[in-house]
Amino acid sequence: MPIYKVSYVVPQRPNEGTILSQRTPPQVGDIVVLRERRYRVKEVIDLLPSQGAVHFLHATVEPIEEEAG
Amino acid sequence: MVEIEIARQCILFHNFSDEDVARVLALGREETRSKGDVLVTQGTHDGKVFVVLEGMVQVQVEVGGTRQSLLYLGPGQLIGEITLVDSGPHSATVEVVQTPTRLLAFDRDELLNLCEEDARLGYLLMRNVAADLGFKMRHHNLSVV
């Protein structure tokens, strides 16, 4: 079963970054919930080449609250 | 006992056989913690190492009397890996921010003893720890732009 180790980064908010492993990859446009906050995925790139079933991704996300405000 | 498949979420066990995973898991203790619990404290030498199985923790550093959040770590992530490499004090404070947060807790010296006893397994484990540190460094580099 694949594992996606994902680096989530919020531009201009370096202390909101999150690293976690998940079973499905994030996709552009997805809504992800990190610590009860909702973010929209803006970009997903391979941070490193995959190693077997392990994939290393970097996702740039933006807070949804900011869009509404 | 934590299931091998759940443990495999963590890069610590990458390229391990099921037998290797079981040997390392046998050294760990499963813990369930609540929001506000401090797992490790910056500057202390307790040699604790954790793997997050479920939930979320916040990594904080204190410099000049000011505590700052560095990042959050969720399932599959390693805590205390630096002390595993350099046997020094913890470089940051790690606090649980989600209830429940389920962890695998290890004693650094027990893991190091296993590495000494079985050089093949020790090489794999240390390579995976290095890869985890590398991933965190790449995350940090992309966080500051």
Side-chain angles (χ1 to χ4, degrees):
Chain A
M1 188 178 290
I3 296 166
Y4 299 89
K5 186 176 172 84
V6 186
S7 153
Y8 287 100
V9 165
V10 188
Q12 313 303 320
R13 298 185 181 188
N15 58 357
E16 289 188 31
T18 303
I19 300 174
L20 54 82
S21 297
Q22 54 194 64
R23 291 295 187 183
T24 57
Q27 309 274 0
V28 172
D30 281 356
I31 306 296
V32 296
V33 179
L34 304 171
R35 305 170 313 282
E36 300 177 354
R37 291 187 183 177
R38 286 156 45 91
Y39 299 86
R40 176 169 284 112
V41 178
K42 304 300 288 183
E43 181 186 44
V44 180
I45 61 170
D46 288 315
L47 198 53
L48 292 168
S50 303
Q51 296 178 24
V54 184
H55 303 264
F56 302 93
L57 304 179
H58 172 73
T60 304
V61 299
E62 65 178 14
I64 288 182
E65 291 78 5
E66 283 192 347
E67 287 183 348
Chain B
M1 183 70 147
V2 172
E3 301 84 1
I4 287 176
E5 274 312 305
I6 292 176
R8 284 193 182 283
Q9 287 185 69
C10 182
I11 198 170
L12 182 67
F13 301 106
H14 185 50
N15 284 329
F16 276 27
S17 66
D18 284 352
E19 182 184 352
D20 290 338
V21 176
R23 287 180 70 190
V24 175
L25 288 181
L27 299 177
R29 301 167 302 281
E30 192 173 343
E31 296 183 4
T32 301
R33 300 295 197 95
S34 301
K35 185 175 181 178
D37 286 353
V38 174
L39 301 177
V40 300
T41 302
Q42 181 179 344
T44 62
H45 287 264
D46 59 21
K48 291 179 181 172
V49 178
F50 295 91
V51 172
V52 181
L53 299 173
E54 174 190 358
M56 190 74 69
V57 302
Q58 182 185 40
V59 181
Q60 310 160 352
V61 289
E62 186 173 327
V63 179
T66 302
R67 184 173 289 192
Q68 186 174 344
S69 172
L70 274 188
L71 81 162
Y72 294 86
L73 297 173
Q77 307 317 302
L78 196 53
I79 299 163
E81 72 285 351
I82 294 177
T83 189
L84 194 54
V85 172
D86 64 11
S87 296
H90 288 294
S91 63
T93 295
V94 179
E95 182 177 335
V96 173
V97 294
Q98 188 173 310
T99 302
T101 286
R102 206 159 59 93
L103 305 142
L104 255 177
F106 295 97
D107 178 85
R108 173 190 62 206
D109 292 339
E110 289 183 0
L111 287 173
L112 292 178
N113 286 341
L114 179 62
C115 293
E116 291 287 341
E117 290 167 9
D118 185 334
R120 179 196 58 83
L121 181 53
Y123 167 75
L124 280 177
L125 190 141
M126 283 300 176
R127 192 176 68 174
N128 290 341
V129 169
D132 185 79
L133 281 168
F135 192 91
K136 284 174 176 149
M137 183 70 74
R138 291 174 189 275
H139 169 86
H140 174 75
N141 291 347
L142 290 165
S143 295
V144 295
V145 293

